[in-house]
Amino acid sequence: MTLHTILPLEVVLQGFHQQNEHKPTIELHSGDMKLELEPVYPGIGKIVRIIECPLHHYLKPELSPGMLYTYGPQLKG
């Protein structure tokens, strides 16, 4: 891969050799979507990324990375 940039090499590679602590994630199939979620609370996860879905779902702000997503059995009141 070739990267053309005006930034100094130190800035581009900053943090490259540091170990990143990744939080555990889960893959969730919900209808016609496949999401990667970071569990926050039982039945609630923070969206890390959309793995697979119809194109129009990418335009929905509620499916943006960082948004909370409810999954699992829903409580009926």
Side-chain angles (χ1 to χ4, degrees):
M1 177 173 93
T2 303
L3 175 65
H4 298 280
T5 179
I6 60 171
L7 297 174
L9 185 61
E10 296 80 28
V11 173
V12 174
L13 297 178
Q14 184 178 8
F16 181 74
H17 293 292
Q18 295 175 351
Q19 290 185 351
N20 293 331
E21 294 183 21
H22 294 285
K23 296 182 180 177
T25 60
I26 59 170
E27 285 187 8
L28 174 75
H29 293 271
S30 178
D32 55 357
M33 297 186 303
K34 185 176 179 183
L35 303 171
E36 181 178 1
L37 301 175
E38 177 185 309
V40 176
Y41 195 75
I44 300 174
K46 185 169 36 170
I47 298 174
V48 175
R49 66 184 177 125
I50 298 174
I51 298 173
E52 184 179 306
C53 72
L55 293 177
H56 67 275
H57 287 315
Y58 286 98
L59 300 175
K60 295 182 177 182
E62 63 269 17
L63 295 176
S64 299
M67 299 299 292
L68 295 180
Y69 190 82
T70 305
Y71 62 94
Q74 303 296 319
L75 297 175
K76 296 181 181 181

